[in-house]
């Protein structure tokens, strides 16, 4: 697949017109990483071009050079065969390149129309009426409804994204870049976005759709370029994509993305048989007060040896619930029983002593103290306890021994136990965190987005740790926004939406569609 | 007590409130523009002081108050251009640079003044006023508001212009975006650095004018450290006005009234120790901050440097 024609696909055979945009062997370096290494990509009108790659593969950096946010260190950009330099976002816009960035780029305190007016002549009045008229037209064409006078801060992330798409179309963009546009959407919203992209390319636009989700790439893409660690490792052209069929394409992409080791391929799918151990963790009628997403009326139980997946779009109360169980947040109402003992009034440390463990998703701020050595980070939740402290005095020898044992047991790659933990890569920080939480007498472990931002190797290692914990008899709560992960590991799946558990389903053959329906708010 | 409500007292109070309030208003308005664009401008006190000094100097040597105002504004802008260079372009701490500029301006003007005028303290002539036909004949507010130096009318017009820019122009949207979410403004194709630089320079212009006003209209003389915290009161005003220029004007007049109460009370023949009266404006600042400070709202990106593509 890495045939030379694919990697230098910008000089097509004579007679073919030039591509709309061509990135010609561009390289971009950041301190310590080569984010893009000699990448060549050609963008054609009327095509949805998918840029696929894992987190950190360099997708955002690549399109950043088209949006005028980043400058290439090497290589060039051609528009219709002419070499251009896109040195500011304004240049990109004037060249007809519209971008919907990974993080919304709208001013929350302004209205939709005012956001569209940004960039108009300084001393003139924003043409709110004209914008409204134009917007109405584009919105009808695209089948979107947006109130031009709504304050952007009051819109959902999905709606904000639609605003950005409409804005790009209004500005007569010829190319629309969508960076991880489905990350904030429900499965249904993602489908709608897919349909919208089809209508856009039907108008003759080129769409660059960035994602790290394989199924979306296969479903929405006309052409797929795969990036891995900053390099382009392959491209699948439209005719091949059509003839191969989705299963063969998926296999091909997996091979490109991960080489021959494929995530989850050697795990044998879900664990069976259904655990029948005793109930270890029982939540009843839990309320957690919170300004944005209050959690209400959560009842859940987890047996010994069971993995309960908690699915849902990010920010639907999962974090609040996890923190409340761990004792980091006040409970509004309800009881938490750990092996029959009510623990809701106990401190974080007391809950830990009873065997409750919480692996936070905020590894750097909440999970670790970056400037502290690994050894100290590994006993961060046992400060003052023997044998690491004796009558209030810290004892380095036991702390270092303990650290050396865990570092080798959990395979943390580090120069030594005295290295500041912040200097390690994300995967190794996560290993250290797992070492701290899974060691000792763990009985209940709550994982919050445990593989978020990790590379494949570390994802596999982490998922194995989760299985092992359940195997040893822990009750495991696995909070994840990655439905594949939930389906791969869980015995049962609870779905959270707007602070409530809206359903618990067994992880059986049609779990995927039922969970998807619950996540998208079908119950509302 | 009835002496308090004589025509003479009220006239003196309002007249004094305007004279003392205009520089505060100019400072507050200037600060508001910077803050809207996301730059916390603590150097404003220094800008006023340089404005007062250059304004006085030019007015004194050329005999033209207008040249004085013009140079005062330029002086303020010169200080502001340092702020723009160090904070907006190079991204140094806005607080540290702001304090440095204020301290530097205080030292520099005191030093220069000492060498030039150590023997004599020259005064400017009183600034001529412009009576607005009809309105100036009204009792109390006629002499206090409508028979005043024309620069005062101009300053008030600046409030209206600023309000118009904020509310009704694309520039106003750009300023707000620069303070709320600079990355979004940048992505919309507007140069964030340019918008912020423009805002900071405008702040310098207004603050410099305010300083020149203090020296030329208020005192008729330059005295080291004469701005005496006016710039900082301006910062408080901008914070409390929550983006509304008219509120800055009202707040400035209120503070001006406190500042000028001494004179008015003397006119009224009320005998209160001057120390107590001079405390009034600062007590008022404290009281207002305690009561309303919580409601002050600042732009989310205030004080943070914007670098495109950084993470
Ligand atoms: N502004 C930046 N400064 C430093 N490093 C960066 C910056 N942007 C991206 N990187 C690094 O470049 C690599 C690619 O990042 P990115 O393009 O965001 O990947 P993707 O969008 O595929 O997830 C990562 O290792 C990331 O840490
Ligand atoms: Mg990205």
């Amino acid at each position: 697949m890495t045939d030379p024609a694919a990697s230098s696909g910008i000089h097509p055979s004579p007679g073919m017109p030039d591509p709309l945009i061509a990135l010609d062997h561009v390289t971009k370096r950041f301190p310590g990483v080569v984010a893009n290494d000699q990448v060549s990509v050609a963008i054609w009108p009327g095509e949805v071009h998918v840029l696929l790659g894992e987190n950190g593969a360099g997708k955002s950096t690549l399109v950043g050079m088209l949006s005028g946010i980043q400058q290439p260190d090497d290589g060039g950009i051609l528009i219709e065969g002419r070499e251009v330099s896109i040195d500011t976002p304004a240049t990109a816009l004037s060249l007809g390149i519209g971008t919907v960035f990974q993080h919304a780029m709208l001013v929350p305190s302004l209205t939709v129309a005012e956001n569209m007016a940004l960039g108009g002549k300084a001393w003139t009045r924003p043409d709110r009426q004209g914008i409204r008229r134009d917007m109405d037209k584009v919105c009808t064409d695209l089948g979107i409804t947006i109130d031009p006078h709504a304050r952007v801060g009051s819109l959902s992330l999905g709606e904000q994204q639609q605003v950005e798409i409409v804005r790009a179309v209004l500005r007569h963009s010829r190319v629309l870049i969508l960076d991880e546009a489905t990350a904030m959407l429900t499965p249904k919203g993602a489908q709608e976005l897919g349909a919208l992209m089809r209508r856009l390319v039907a108008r003759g636009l080129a769409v660059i759709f960035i994602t790290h989700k394989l199924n979306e790439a296969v479903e929405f893409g006309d052409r797929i370029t795969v990036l891995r660690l900053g390099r382009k490792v392959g491209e699948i052209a439209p005719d091949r994509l059509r003839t191969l069929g989705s299963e063969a394409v998926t296999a091909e992409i997996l091979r490109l993305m991960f080489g021959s080791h494929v995530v989850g391929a050697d795990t044998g799918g879900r664990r069976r048989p259904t655990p029948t151990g005793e109930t270890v963790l029982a939540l009843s009628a839990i309320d957690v007060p919170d300004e944005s997403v209050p959690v209400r009326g959560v009842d859940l139980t987890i047996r010994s040896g069971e993995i309960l997946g908690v699915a849902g779009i990010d920010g639907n109360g999962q974090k609040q619930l996890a923190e409340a169980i761990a004792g980091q947040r006040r409970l509004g109402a309800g009881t938490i029983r750990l092996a029959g003992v009510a623990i809701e009034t106990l401190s974080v440390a007391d809950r830990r002593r009873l065997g409750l463990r919480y692996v936070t998703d905020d590894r750097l701020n909440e999970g670790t103290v970056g400037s502290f050595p690994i050894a100290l980070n590994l006993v961060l939740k046992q400060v003052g306890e023997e044998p690491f402290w004796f009558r209030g005095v810290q004892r380095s020898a036991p702390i270092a021994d303990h650290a050396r044992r865990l570092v080798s047991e959990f395979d943390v790659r580090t120069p030594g136990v005295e290295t500041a933990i912040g200097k390690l890569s994300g995967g190794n920080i996560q290993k250290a965190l797992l070492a701290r939480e899974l060691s000792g007498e763990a009985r209940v472990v709550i994982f919050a987005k445990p593989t978020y931002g990790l590379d494949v190797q570390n994802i596999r290692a982490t998922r194995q740790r989760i299985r092992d914990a359940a195997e040893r008899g822990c009750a495991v709560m696995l909070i994840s926004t990655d439905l594949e992960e939930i389906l791969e590991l869980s015995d049962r799946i609870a779905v959270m939406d707007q602070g409530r558990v809206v359903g618990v389903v067994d992880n059986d053959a049609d779990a995927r569609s039922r969970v998807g329906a619950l996540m998208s708010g079908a119950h509302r | 007590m009835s002496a308090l409500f004589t025509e003479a007292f009220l006239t003196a109070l309002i007249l004094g409130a305007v004279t003392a309030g205009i520089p505060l208003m100019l400072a507050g308005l200037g600060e508001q523009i910077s803050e809207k664009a996301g730059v916390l401008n603590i150097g404003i006190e220094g800008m006023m002081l340089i404005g007062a000094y250059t304004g006085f100097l030019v007015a004194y040597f050329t005999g033209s108050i207008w040249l004085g105002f013009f140079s005062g504004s330029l002086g303020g802008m010169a200080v502001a251009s340092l702020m723009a260079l160090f904070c907006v372009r190079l991204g140094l701490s806005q607080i540290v640079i702001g304090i440095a500029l204020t301290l530097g301006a205080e030292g520099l003007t005191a030093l220069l003044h000492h060498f030039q005028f150590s023997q004599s303290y020259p005064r400017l002539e009183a600034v001529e006023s412009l009576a607005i036909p009809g309105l100036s004949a009204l009792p109390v507010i006629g002499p206090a508001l409508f028979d005043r130096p024309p620069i005062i009318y101009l300053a008030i017009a600046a409030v209206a212009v600023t309000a118009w820019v904020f509310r009704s122009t694309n520039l106003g949207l750009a300023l707000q975006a620069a303070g709320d979410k600079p990355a979004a403004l940048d992505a919309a194709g507007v140069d964030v650095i340019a918008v912020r630089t423009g805002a900071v320079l405008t702040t310098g212009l207004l603050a410099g004018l305010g300083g020149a006003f203090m020296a030329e209209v208020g005192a008729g003389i330059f005295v080291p450290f004469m701005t005496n915290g006016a710039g900082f009161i301006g910062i408080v005003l901008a914070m409390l006005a929550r983006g509304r220029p008219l509120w800055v004007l009202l707040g400035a007049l209120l503070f001006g009234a406190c500042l000028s109460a001494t004179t008015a009370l003397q006119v009224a023949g009320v005998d209160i120790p001057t120390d107590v009266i001079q405390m009034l404006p600062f007590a008022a600042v404290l009281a207002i901050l305690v009561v309303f400070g919580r409601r002050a709202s600042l732009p989310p990106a205030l004080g943070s440097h914007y670098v495109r593509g950084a993470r």
Side-chain angles (χ1 to χ4, degrees):
Chain A
M1 199 41 233
T2 43
D3 58 304
S7 53
S8 65
I10 56 159
H11 297 302
S13 52
M16 280 268 278
D18 286 317
L20 189 47
I21 299 186
L23 288 149
D24 183 10
H25 294 93
V26 291
T27 296
K28 177 75 195 174
R29 299 182 194 90
F30 288 117
V33 289
V34 183
N36 291 142
D37 189 0
Q38 304 257 347
V39 177
S40 295
V41 177
I43 307 294
W44 303 90
E47 269 184 20
V48 175
H49 191 138
V50 174
L51 282 185
L52 181 67
E54 290 191 274
N55 291 325
K59 308 177 296 289
S60 296
T61 306
L62 193 67
V63 293
M65 291 186 277
L66 294 178
S67 322
I69 300 290
Q70 307 286 2
Q71 302 305 310
D73 294 325
D74 265 320
I77 299 170
L78 297 95
I79 295 203
E80 291 172 332
R82 261 183 324 110
E83 176 112 22
V84 291
S85 138
I86 308 178
D87 48 1
T88 63
T91 316
L93 291 173
S94 69
L95 289 168
I97 302 173
T99 311
V100 177
F101 290 94
Q102 192 162 358
H103 308 284
M105 284 294 177
L106 296 168
V107 184
S109 58
L110 297 179
T111 67
V112 171
E114 285 168 344
N115 267 284
M116 306 248 171
L118 271 184
K121 285 216 182 57
W123 297 102
T124 57
R125 186 179 275 275
D127 180 11
R128 293 188 177 82
Q129 288 316 312
I131 289 171
R132 191 207 164 108
R133 257 196 323 277
D134 296 347
M135 256 185 76
D136 279 352
K137 194 175 160 316
V138 172
C139 285
T140 338
D141 281 2
L142 298 179
I144 291 176
T145 40
I146 304 172
D147 173 11
H149 302 303
R151 206 156 287 283
V152 163
S154 71
L155 302 179
S156 74
L157 289 170
E159 287 170 315
Q160 294 190 22
Q161 195 174 68
Q162 294 181 339
V163 171
E164 294 196 81
I165 294 174
V166 170
R167 175 165 73 175
V169 175
L170 270 183
R171 287 196 172 140
H172 307 292
S173 302
R174 295 183 293 167
V175 182
L176 179 65
I177 300 171
L178 294 164
D179 193 353
E180 302 274 5
T182 53
M184 306 291 182
L185 302 181
T186 59
K188 184 155 162 283
Q191 287 303 325
E192 286 169 6
L193 181 67
L196 177 54
M197 287 193 292
R198 286 261 71 85
R199 292 195 288 275
L200 289 170
V201 291
R203 292 164 69 115
L205 266 76
V207 172
I208 304 178
F209 177 70
I210 295 180
T211 182
H212 64 268
K213 297 181 192 154
L214 209 150
N215 58 329
E216 289 177 352
V218 176
E219 202 170 334
F220 304 144
D222 293 316
R223 185 188 290 274
I224 301 176
T225 291
V226 182
L227 293 179
R228 178 164 138 207
L229 298 172
R231 292 214 181 79
K232 175 173 172 176
V233 291
E235 175 172 327
I236 307 180
D239 42 358
R240 234 172 97 72
L241 203 52
R242 271 190 302 271
T243 51
L244 272 182
S246 72
E247 229 156 83
V249 169
T250 307
E252 165 113 34
I253 295 175
L254 277 175
R255 195 179 57 71
L256 290 172
M257 280 176 83
F258 306 125
S260 45
H261 319 276
V262 172
V263 193
D266 57 350
T267 58
R270 296 195 298 272
R271 302 172 316 114
R272 291 290 87 126
T274 313
T276 52
E278 303 172 15
T279 297
V280 182
L281 183 71
L283 312 177
S284 68
I286 300 280
D287 280 3
V288 186
D290 185 71
E291 276 191 7
S292 52
V293 196
V295 172
R296 293 210 191 294
V298 170
D299 294 296
L300 289 172
T301 56
I302 311 179
R303 292 168 181 280
S304 162
E306 183 182 36
I307 301 180
L308 175 75
V310 177
I313 316 272
D314 209 4
N316 269 297
Q318 299 96 321
K319 179 99 180 153
Q320 286 83 347
L321 178 63
E323 289 181 355
I325 301 173
Q328 295 174 200
R329 217 177 239 271
R330 209 170 47 76
L331 213 58
T335 55
I336 307 172
R337 285 177 185 279
L338 199 162
V341 182
I343 58 166
E344 65 270 7
T345 54
L346 300 185
S347 68
V348 175
D350 286 341
R351 292 184 203 202
R352 181 182 165 90
R353 238 166 266 134
L354 287 176
L356 179 74
R357 302 296 159 82
Y358 170 47
V359 182
T360 175
D361 57 344
D362 189 358
R363 290 166 211 146
L364 290 178
N365 294 312
E366 189 186 319
T368 57
V369 182
S371 57
F372 280 14
I374 295 167
L376 217 45
N377 270 290
L378 287 172
V379 292
L380 216 49
K381 290 198 178 167
Q382 286 143 286
V383 173
E385 290 178 15
E386 291 186 25
F388 309 121
W389 274 263
F390 183 70
R391 300 211 172 122
V393 179
Q394 184 175 323
R395 302 170 66 212
S396 343
I399 292 179
D401 288 344
H402 172 76
R404 271 190 286 274
R405 210 187 65 240
L406 289 183
V407 159
S408 81
E409 189 179 328
F410 281 80
D411 189 28
V412 184
R413 307 276 164 82
T414 166
V417 295
E418 292 305 319
T419 309
I421 200 164
K423 296 224 170 80
L424 302 187
S425 72
N428 282 307
I429 294 177
Q430 178 71 336
K431 283 184 192 166
L433 212 53
L434 289 171
R436 183 177 78 205
E437 299 303 329
L438 296 178
S439 61
E441 297 294 304
R443 303 174 74 181
V444 175
V445 190
I446 303 163
F447 294 93
K449 292 197 272 178
T451 58
Y452 175 78
L454 302 185
D455 64 24
V456 192
Q457 243 88 48
N458 282 311
I459 290 178
R460 290 175 65 190
T462 304
R463 290 186 182 166
Q464 196 50 48
R465 293 278 172 208
I466 296 172
R467 280 192 206 93
D468 291 347
E471 216 68 60
R472 285 206 316 270
C474 288
V476 173
M477 179 184 263
L478 167 66
I479 297 171
S480 177
T481 48
D482 181 348
L483 191 50
E484 302 303 326
E485 176 163 282
I486 297 252
L487 290 168
E488 180 187 325
L489 297 174
S490 315
D491 296 302
R492 282 183 304 140
I493 301 170
V495 181
M496 283 195 80
D497 183 44
Q498 299 181 348
R500 291 173 187 277
V501 169
V502 295
V504 184
V505 302
D506 282 328
N507 191 6
D508 51 25
D510 59 334
R512 178 187 299 271
S513 61
R514 281 156 67 204
V515 170
L518 287 169
M519 274 171 73
S520 63
H523 57 278
R524 279 185 224 145
Chain B
M1 246 355 223
S2 66
L4 276 182
F5 298 102
T6 59
E7 192 173 325
F9 170 76
L10 286 176
T11 309
L13 185 69
I14 298 177
L15 193 123
V18 171
T19 311
I22 288 291
L24 299 180
M25 186 276 283
L26 286 167
L29 195 63
E31 183 67 27
Q32 189 167 55
I33 294 172
S34 269
E35 286 187 8
K36 189 144 198 145
V39 182
L40 183 62
N41 202 331
I42 297 196
I44 195 161
E45 178 85 6
M47 296 172 200
M48 291 188 87
L49 205 50
I50 294 281
Y53 180 71
T54 48
F56 169 78
L57 212 62
V58 171
Y60 176 65
F61 284 117
T62 64
S64 155
I65 57 148
W66 288 105
L67 277 180
F69 290 136
F70 182 71
S71 332
S73 306
L74 280 188
M77 273 174 98
V79 181
S81 66
L82 292 177
M83 180 98 197
L85 173 68
F86 288 126
C87 301
V88 180
R89 285 216 163 260
L90 302 179
L92 303 186
S93 159
Q94 296 174 4
I95 296 191
V96 172
I97 296 296
I99 293 174
L101 289 178
T102 294
L103 292 179
E106 285 179 351
L108 185 69
T109 49
L111 186 73
L112 291 174
H113 181 267
H114 174 73
F115 280 118
Q116 281 172 301
F117 303 112
S118 56
Q119 307 305 321
S120 62
Y121 277 72
R123 289 194 80 88
L124 299 175
E125 284 171 27
V127 176
E128 274 176 38
S129 57
L130 173 75
I132 295 179
L135 293 175
S136 61
L138 295 171
V140 182
I141 60 167
L145 296 180
F146 301 111
D147 187 8
R148 306 299 308 271
I151 188 75
I152 290 183
Y153 309 137
L154 270 182
I156 306 265
V159 176
V161 171
T162 309
W164 172 75
V165 168
F166 281 0
R167 213 185 36 243
S168 313
T169 67
N170 281 316
L171 181 60
L173 296 182
L175 284 169
Q176 182 163 345
D180 279 3
K181 194 152 179 189
L185 182 65
D186 194 23
V190 182
D191 188 344
V192 175
I193 305 294
V195 169
R196 287 188 166 177
T197 302
V200 169
L201 290 181
T202 309
T203 305
L205 183 146
L206 291 172
L209 183 62
F213 183 98
M214 277 182 135
E216 294 181 48
V217 180
I221 188 172
F222 180 81
V223 191
F225 309 110
M226 70 180 296
T227 50
N228 197 20
F232 292 109
I233 294 185
I235 295 176
V236 172
L237 285 174
M239 208 171 94
L240 294 173
R242 283 187 277 164
R244 274 165 292 207
L246 191 64
W247 286 32
V248 173
L249 175 62
L250 296 179
L253 291 178
L254 208 69
F255 277 116
C258 295
L259 283 169
S260 66
T262 327
T263 334
L265 287 172
Q266 277 164 2
V267 170
V270 180
D271 188 24
I272 303 177
T274 45
D275 292 336
V276 172
I277 297 172
Q278 277 169 354
M279 247 170 53
L280 214 58
F282 301 100
V285 171
L286 268 182
I288 287 179
L289 275 180
V290 167
V291 179
F292 297 109
R294 219 185 291 269
R295 266 190 265 157
S297 79
L298 297 171
L302 185 67
S304 60
H305 179 49
Y306 176 69
V307 185
R308 176 185 299 152
R311 60 155 70 159

